[in-house]
Amino acid sequence: MCLKSLLIQGAKALGTELTDEMAAQLSLYAAFLEEKNSVMNLTAISGVDDIVRFHFLDSLALLPMASFQGCSVIDVGTGAGFPGVPLNIAEPTIKLTLLDAQQKRVNFLKELCTLLKLTGVVCLNARAEEAARTAALRGMFDIAVSRAVARLNVLAELCLPFVKTGGLFIAMKAVDSDAEISEAASAFEKLGAVLEAVKDYEIQGAGVMHRAVCIRKTAATPEAYPRRYAKIQKSPL
Ligand code: SAM
């Protein structure tokens, strides 16, 4: 199957319609990621078909799970732009902030956004637990998303402070994460949030199921959080 069909059919199976223009932008993204990945460590996944399945389609799976239209979205620990950039390509009304602790990844993201003409994307080089303490970012986002950054009880403390009361945090996890989700219940409560839904999905042609954990922010996060990273890791909430 050609790349464009893989993208369009794979997205459709997940409930998202991609235009030819969006598929072309994603193809350009795949080529740029492959080129840069040969000289810097951005992703362990190689080959455009796997980039499409395990990065692009996996990211796009989130779109039908919440109302993203016109929303401010922060992708915490975005790495090479997942899931934030594919989401913004497929839903251009998103006001996207990409945040990562590694400068070289943020440099890649800035180049990528220029290449893809994603002019409204904000790329920030910062640690989540520090950025979430700044007035410009704390409680400012309708939705926070994050994939492959930390265990859920740690990740909740890194992500939920960015979300507005009433907003959503979507954590991308493996389907065998039941224990991890249960373990994070007290963190959600302390951070002013409740578990809303656990949604499993299949990526066409990948032969795997993945999971989105949707957590609703119901109250402002207490000032004490997030704590310093060493503390978060040593004593998760
Ligand atoms: N989300 C991307 C994905 O799924 O492909 C990247 C995942 S990569 C395994 C984890 C990323 O999280 C790295 O780029 C790392 O720099 C970033 N990260 C880890 N802890 C962080 C923190 N406290 N604040 C900001 N970024 C962090």
Side-chain angles (χ1 to χ4, degrees):
M1 202 188 290
C2 75
L3 200 61
K4 187 174 145 194
S5 306
L6 193 64
L7 278 161
I8 291 180
Q9 289 179 23
K12 193 170 186 170
L14 290 162
T16 292
E17 297 286 336
L18 289 181
T19 63
D20 285 355
E21 198 185 10
M22 289 168 184
Q25 257 183 311
L26 287 165
S27 301
L28 197 56
Y29 185 0
F32 186 64
L33 180 60
E34 278 227 296
E35 179 198 323
K36 291 288 176 182
N37 205 36
S38 62
V39 287
M40 59 194 283
N41 179 23
L42 287 164
T43 171
I45 290 168
S46 61
V48 280
D49 285 12
D50 277 354
I51 288 174
V52 167
R53 292 190 182 101
F54 294 104
H55 284 320
F56 296 168
L57 297 179
D58 195 33
S59 301
L60 293 174
L62 301 192
L63 266 187
M65 296 185 189
S67 173
F68 278 90
Q69 222 179 8
C71 283
S72 51
V73 175
I74 185 164
D75 182 359
V76 177
T78 184
F82 305 112
V85 177
L87 287 173
N88 202 12
I89 289 171
E91 181 48 74
T93 63
I94 287 174
K95 296 178 269 288
L96 180 65
T97 297
L98 299 169
L99 182 130
D100 201 278
Q102 286 191 41
Q103 179 71 63
K104 67 168 190 171
R105 292 187 168 173
V106 176
N107 293 344
F108 165 84
L109 293 167
K110 286 180 179 167
E111 271 192 76
L112 176 73
C113 289
T114 302
L115 178 74
L116 301 181
K117 301 188 172 53
L118 297 173
T119 48
V121 179
V122 176
C123 300
L124 293 178
N125 174 218
R127 293 202 59 86
E129 64 277 16
E130 291 167 9
R133 291 202 150 274
T134 63
L137 298 170
R138 190 179 180 86
M140 297 306 274
F141 294 88
D142 298 305
I143 303 176
V145 291
S146 191
R147 185 182 79 162
V149 173
R151 204 165 165 85
L152 195 52
N153 54 1
V154 169
L155 192 63
E157 189 168 349
L158 297 179
C159 295
L160 278 165
F162 288 111
V163 181
K164 293 175 185 170
T165 300
L168 199 62
F169 162 43
I170 309 178
M172 300 175 74
K173 288 286 166 187
V175 282
D176 62 357
S177 54
D178 289 352
E180 189 179 336
I181 296 169
S182 304
E183 178 194 64
S186 75
F188 301 156
E189 194 189 335
K190 286 175 186 153
L191 294 160
V194 292
L195 177 64
E196 184 167 275
V198 175
K199 299 181 182 181
D200 294 348
Y201 56 91
E202 186 176 0
I203 303 166
Q204 200 177 59
V208 287
M209 297 289 291
H210 282 180
R211 171 172 284 181
V213 185
C214 304
I215 299 131
R216 182 70 60 183
K217 182 111 172 238
T218 52
T221 297
E223 273 305 313
Y225 309 120
R227 298 161 295 164
R228 284 183 299 111
Y229 196 67
K231 185 80 180 165
I232 298 173
Q233 269 204 313
K234 192 169 166 229
S235 324
L237 293 173

